[in-house]
Amino acid sequence: MSAEAAALRLGTTVASTAARIWLGGKAREQERHLTIEELARVRVPGVKFSRSVKRQFEQIADAVFDRLEPYLEHEFKGLEESGRRAVIDAVCDTFAAADLSDEALLAADAQPAELIRRITGAVRAPVGLGEAEGSLYERLFTECVEYYVRIVRSLPVFEERAAAELLVRTSTLGGEVARILERLPDRTLFAPDGTDQDTAFRRRYLELVSESLDEVELFRRASDRAAAQVRLSVAYVSLRATGDDSAWRRTARSLPRLRADMSDWEEAPGGDASGMRVEAALRGSARVLLRGEAGSGKTTLLRWLAVTAARGAFTGELAEWNGLTPVVVKLREYSGRPLPAPEAMLDGVAAPLTGIMPRGWVERQLDSGRALLLIDGVDELLDRERRAVRDWLRRLLSAYPGVRVVVTSRPAAAGADWLRREDFTALHLDRMTPPDLAAFVRQWHQAVRELGEELPCPVEDLPQYEQSLLASLKDRAHLQSLAGTPLLAAMVCAMHLNRGRHLPRDRMELYRSALHTLVHDRDADRNVPSAMDSPLSLGDKLILLRDLAWRLSDNNRSEIALEQAAVHVGAKLRAMRHLDPLDGEHVLRQLRDRAGVLRSPAQGRLDFVHRTFQEYLAAAEAAEEDRMGNLVGRAHLDLWRETVIMAAGHANARQREELLGGILDRADSEPRNARTLRLVAAACQETLPEVPEKLAARLDAAVTTLLPARRPTDPAALAAVGPSLLRWLPRSGAGLTEAAAAYTVQTAALIGGEDALEVLEGYTGDERDRVVEALIDAWGYFDAAAYADRVLSRLRLDGHTVKLTHSAQWHVVTGLTSVTELSVMYPFTRFVAVGDMPSLINLQLYQLRGEVDLRVLRRLPGLKYLALDGDMTMHHLDVFTELEHLKLLHLGLRGMPSLDGVRLGHGLGSLILWGLDETADLAFLAGCPHLTRLLVVADKICLPAHLSAATSLPGLDLSLHGVDIAAWLSSPDFTPPKVKQLKLYDCLLPDDLDALDFPGVEVTVF
């Protein structure tokens, strides 16, 4: 009997017993022996309703199955087939013989332990079971009774005549029971040995942790202070972490790309080299200091670790953590009082149980090495209290060296070496990549489904909200860049939901909301001690941050010394007369540690966590201090572009006229900077709430002088103006040169969005090569299906290479019948699918993966050009002889154990062999006298076997890259070459170059 079959039988037994008791009723003993289907048919009126009830109890059976199957998979390994069957039969027989009626359940106070005691006293124990089988029987029966009681307690408890009708109405009963069972800890498989009292308490404690910590705030109505909570176990998204070995971590501060194409939203095979999944990073160390900026997901990760440990539900990299007992310590609860001794560590999460906790229980968990100590929020304590945390940890780990520990902090409060003496590994939670962000958005919308009527939209509309937000993120680089942490991503998701699928087109409101959340609201909502200790209001903090941002920008800097910044903050504080005197250095450190927008990228240095925040705040300061003339003078500088644009949004009416009028005046009088200045003025329209009529006319005139695009650099520069530019772009290529039309297509593609797609539709009638190629290349910036339907399907694609940059395009390209040339630029694993495009004459696959059966190529009879490269293994290399029209073949041979099977058709004239090493055998080339051009490229300097098979082909144009020519000349295989031309690139040559003087051969060395 398999674990799957056993779990299914037990699940059916438990669910059937519950159904018989609660559908059968007290007075109908004969109905206790009916199946669920028969019982539902008898007791529930109507075929449809009886089928609904049957499905509900089948879902309950599935929920029990999901709990038991992995456990039985583990336990069955040590049992023979007969023993497995005997155990399952015994459990089912006991259930059949036991009194599990409603009277029996009530007599046991609906407590599983009491019900089990009563059953074992009344039902004869099974006979014939060995020691291992008997032990497994007891555990399985105990677990099934626990499930049965939980299920029955969740069923509607009304009078018998109403029970059937109520069950029909409770359409989500199966899902609710599955959720109840899912939250139960996995007590039998991993429970540690100990006293009966310890084990019973651990069971209750894990259940409380599983339930109380399994919630996270994902959604807040715009008008609410109270946030709706959803299940963390549903909402959790795996993040990335990197090793944080240096004491001070610098991260890249490059500006966001103008617009990423859709390939960036795909997960790279094998993971991203810039970081690994945090679960994999945690696996490698028993002691971890996890650092991350504000909102990076530190607390959420710790809660997820606690809940998953309580349920014994770790999989993959952290599977070995199953069986650990989570102990969560929230440091902010100990501000102003001593850190907890072991017996007090449960107070924060399990206070209702601490009164019945066995004496020394926490100490025994720590001493056994089966505790998972999760310490959250070093940064949430006051400065003077953080040293005590390190001393407390040191003493604790000295007493219990085997305990696993994860400690979280913002980088400013704890350097990477803060716990190095205690052998902690420092990890840093990274910003989310586009695939991470897409996963977060999908999971967020899945999680908020549970809020039901609390949502501002019907639940069934959530998929449309999800797709709409993903489209906005993909179209708008600034929005994507801002939503780089779980906190800000959740803020964007909630704003999008609250606004009915609309986000502000300009960035001003997004940045304002993000700053308010990071700087003040989040800590205030959580009552963080180090924030509550501050006398500064949100407005006070923003005044200080604006001043600091302007000082940095005014000096064309992104960093400042902490000491110098403290001087500036102190000076500003003295001018804020409504505040009592405050120390500038103390306030600055508090802002850095808690405001969420400042950090220390290096020891003694300070900067903003995101360049955008510095620019937004500097622009606000410029408007507040009326520095428009200063901005006009710097408007032509790239470093000031975003500050100028956002200053236009912060400015009042007079300031806007001064700013934009001054920029346009400069454009008229400075030919050298005219184009740049007009671009900046046009881009300001994104943030302007209104434009006076006279100024609007000048802006319109400035835009018209910029169009159409004429130079290769124009598309990116024009696209930076934003969506407002689209209204000015020509709606077709009529009247434009071929180059201008192609550049206009590129501009619209970089801007993106529905309006840009409408512009591109107007160019589908332009058959000029550069325009068609630009339209093909623009595919990567839009939804694959929509773009193919509205643009590509209206083009003549034959004679043009269609490039695929992400997997969503493959499902669409097979429907474009005019495609004859295809280049796949992303990791491709479905080689067999190329047979669905028989019209191909040119196929290029540069990132092939896995096993490649070349016989599929027989379905492409007209193939002339073929390139196959990547991390793959090719089979049936003789197929090339059947491709009668094949003229050029490019083969990547990395990892190919043998080339013995290669056979080439007589029509093949050009061959490229890429990625050779010393194991490659070129002997097969001796049978290819028809070749006219051969390129051999080695990964590193080496000598492929039988090189002379290639050099002996008369009339051949041969190019060798990375070949050991010196070794070839002295090898037994050497024969004077007969080729027409021999070109040597980066080869290892003999000392005497005269040795390369071959009669009749033109030799060229590069």
Side-chain angles (χ1 to χ4, degrees), residues 470-525:
L470 283 172
S472 295
L473 288 165
K474 291 174 180 179
D475 280 341
R476 297 160 64 183
H478 290 288
L479 181 61
Q480 175 191 330
S481 178
L482 178 66
T485 67
L487 172 65
L488 293 178
M491 183 202 76
V492 170
C493 289
M495 185 183 295
H496 182 260
L497 187 59
N498 273 319
R499 291 169 172 265
R501 288 191 284 180
H502 294 289
L503 286 170
R505 285 306 308 177
D506 70 273
R507 291 163 274 151
M508 304 295 286
E509 187 170 350
L510 287 172
Y511 296 158
R512 179 166 56 251
S513 296
L515 279 169
H516 288 194
T517 298
L518 289 172
V519 172
H520 187 77
D521 294 349
R522 186 163 176 259
D523 277 356
D525 290 345

Side-chain angles (χ1 to χ4, degrees), residues 50-63:
S50 67
R51 285 168 56 85
S52 176
V53 171
K54 172 177 172 285
R55 284 196 296 269
Q56 292 297 317
F57 280 99
E58 286 176 344
Q59 289 180 22
I60 292 173
D62 289 344

Side-chain angles (χ1 to χ4, degrees), residues 370-620:
R370 303 303 295 168
L372 175 60
L373 187 57
L374 303 169
I375 302 171
D376 188 32
V378 171
D379 54 286
E380 295 179 351
L381 292 177
L382 303 176
D383 287 350
R384 60 181 179 273
E385 297 175 319
R386 293 172 190 159
R387 181 184 296 274
V389 174
R390 186 164 48 192
D391 295 338
W392 170 73
L393 258 178
R394 185 178 296 127
R395 292 192 299 271
L396 190 68
L397 295 176
S398 178
Y400 304 106
V403 70
R404 292 177 183 264
V405 192
V406 181
V407 181
T408 69
S409 177
R410 292 187 188 179
D417 59 349
W418 192 65
L419 292 173
R420 183 165 294 168
R421 287 180 56 190
E422 289 73 33
D423 296 325
F424 273 70
T425 298
L427 297 176
H428 191 281
L429 279 179
D430 295 334
R431 289 179 64 83
M432 292 191 292
T433 64
D436 297 334
L437 180 55
F440 182 94
V441 171
R442 287 191 290 267
Q443 207 68 16
W444 190 93
H445 286 84
Q446 178 64 29
V448 298
R449 293 180 68 87
E450 297 183 356
L451 298 179
E453 295 181 356
E454 295 182 60
L455 292 171
C457 73
V459 172
E460 58 269 20
D461 289 350
L462 282 176
Q464 287 77 36
Y465 277 80
E466 176 186 318
Q467 291 306 313
S468 172
L469 179 55
L470 283 172
S472 295
L473 288 165
K474 291 174 180 179
D475 280 341
R476 297 160 64 183
H478 290 288
L479 181 61
Q480 175 191 330
S481 178
L482 178 66
T485 67
L487 172 65
L488 293 178
M491 183 202 76
V492 170
C493 289
M495 185 183 295
H496 182 260
L497 187 59
N498 273 319
R499 291 169 172 265
R501 288 191 284 180
H502 294 289
L503 286 170
R505 285 306 308 177
D506 70 273
R507 291 163 274 151
M508 304 295 286
E509 187 170 350
L510 287 172
Y511 296 158
R512 179 166 56 251
S513 296
L515 279 169
H516 288 194
T517 298
L518 289 172
V519 172
H520 187 77
D521 294 349
R522 186 163 176 259
D523 277 356
D525 290 345
R526 298 163 73 198
N527 295 316
V528 173
S530 56
M532 300 303 291
D533 186 56
S534 172
L536 302 178
S537 67
L538 171 61
D540 296 333
K541 295 173 185 176
L542 290 176
I543 287 173
L544 296 174
L545 291 169
R546 287 200 323 252
D547 179 71
L548 196 56
W550 176 261
R551 290 181 183 276
L552 283 169
S553 297
D554 191 37
N555 290 285
N556 295 326
R557 293 157 67 184
S558 60
E559 290 184 12
I560 188 173
L562 267 172
E563 183 179 353
Q564 185 61 41
V567 172
H568 296 318
V569 170
K572 196 68 176 177
L573 284 169
R574 288 191 292 274
M576 299 166 70
R577 305 301 292 273
H578 64 286
L579 296 174
D580 293 332
L582 295 171
D583 178 67
E585 182 178 357
H586 174 76
V587 169
L588 177 64
R589 291 186 181 276
Q590 192 174 51
L591 283 173
R592 182 196 63 182
D593 291 354
R594 298 307 315 165
V597 295
L598 296 176
R599 66 173 187 172
S600 286
Q603 189 167 12
R605 308 291 295 173
L606 187 78
D607 71 357
F608 284 84
V609 297
H610 200 287
R611 174 80 186 184
T612 290
F613 291 139
Q614 177 181 329
E615 292 164 338
Y616 176 90
L617 289 164

Side-chain angles (χ1 to χ4, degrees), residues 688-860:
L688 291 175
E690 61 177 347
V691 184
E693 185 175 348
K694 183 177 179 181
L695 185 58
R698 291 194 68 189
L699 283 172
D700 292 347
V703 173
T704 58
T705 64
L706 299 172
L707 299 174
R710 300 179 181 86
R711 298 185 290 268
T713 56
D714 282 353
L718 289 169
V721 170
S724 63
L725 183 76
L726 291 170
R727 75 172 75 104
W728 297 100
L729 291 183
R731 277 337 196 228
S732 74
L736 299 179
T737 66
E738 184 175 2
Y743 292 143
T744 301
V745 168
Q746 292 173 17
T747 302
L750 287 173
I751 294 173
E754 176 65 23
D755 293 341
L757 191 52
E758 290 181 7
V759 171
L760 295 178
E761 285 183 282
Y763 287 78
T764 55
D766 195 327
E767 297 185 357
R768 289 175 291 184
D769 287 345
R770 289 184 63 178
V771 180
V772 174
E773 289 163 4
L775 287 169
I776 293 172
D777 291 342
W779 190 14
Y781 291 96
F782 296 89
D783 175 79
Y787 192 86
D789 180 57
R790 296 172 60 176
V791 177
L792 296 181
S793 64
R794 297 160 62 181
L795 298 176
R796 290 188 56 185
L797 298 172
D798 54 305
H800 299 281
T801 301
V802 176
K803 302 181 184 68
L804 307 188
T805 58
H806 59 96
S807 60
Q809 294 170 319
W810 178 262
H811 303 292
V812 180
V813 74
T814 53
L816 299 173
T817 56
S818 65
V819 175
T820 59
E821 301 184 21
L822 185 67
S823 178
V824 181
M825 313 300 291
Y826 66 90
F828 189 69
T829 58
R830 301 180 62 245
F831 183 74
V832 66
V834 302
D836 297 334
M837 303 186 69
S839 61
L840 288 179
I841 62 173
N842 183 347
L843 175 62
Q844 304 165 29
L845 305 172
Y846 290 114
Q847 296 191 56
L848 265 175
R849 298 288 187 269
E851 302 293 320
V852 174
D853 187 340
L854 296 174
R855 289 178 294 182
V856 172
L857 297 175
R858 292 170 177 165
R859 296 163 62 185
L860 310 179

Side-chain angles (χ1 to χ4, degrees), residues 328 333-334 337 340-352 354-355 357:
V328 181
E333 296 178 353
Y334 296 94
R337 62 192 184 97
E343 65 270 14
M345 287 181 180
L346 305 191
D347 290 353
V349 173
T354 54
M357 180 175 66

Side-chain angles (χ1 to χ4, degrees), residues 184-296:
L184 285 178
D186 219 338
R187 70 171 177 181
T188 52
L189 181 53
F190 299 108
D193 293 333
T195 67
D196 291 340
Q197 197 174 16
D198 273 7
T199 302
F201 177 79
R202 180 176 185 271
R203 169 69 172 178
R204 293 191 64 179
Y205 168 70
L206 293 181
E207 184 174 341
L208 180 62
V209 170
S210 175
E211 293 182 356
S212 64
L213 294 183
D214 190 22
E215 60 181 23
V216 64
E217 175 188 326
L218 282 189
F219 172 69
R220 186 192 298 268
R221 289 190 183 90
S223 59
D224 283 354
R225 291 297 296 172
Q229 306 289 322
V230 299
R231 282 192 295 158
L232 169 62
S233 50
V234 175
Y236 176 75
V237 174
S238 176
L239 301 174
R240 298 176 192 270
T242 51
D244 208 351
D245 297 329
S246 61
W248 298 93
R249 171 189 172 88
R250 284 182 178 269
T251 56
R253 295 189 50 82
S254 58
L255 293 174
R257 291 168 57 187
L258 185 62
R259 185 170 180 236
D261 64 34
M262 297 300 173
S263 63
D264 283 1
W265 292 83
E266 292 201 342
E267 188 74 61
D272 189 339
S274 65
M276 67 176 71
R277 290 295 169 194
V278 68
E279 296 86 354
L282 288 172
R283 176 186 58 182
S285 178
R287 300 178 181 181
V288 173
L289 172 61
L290 188 66
R291 305 164 73 235
E293 303 296 346
S296 59

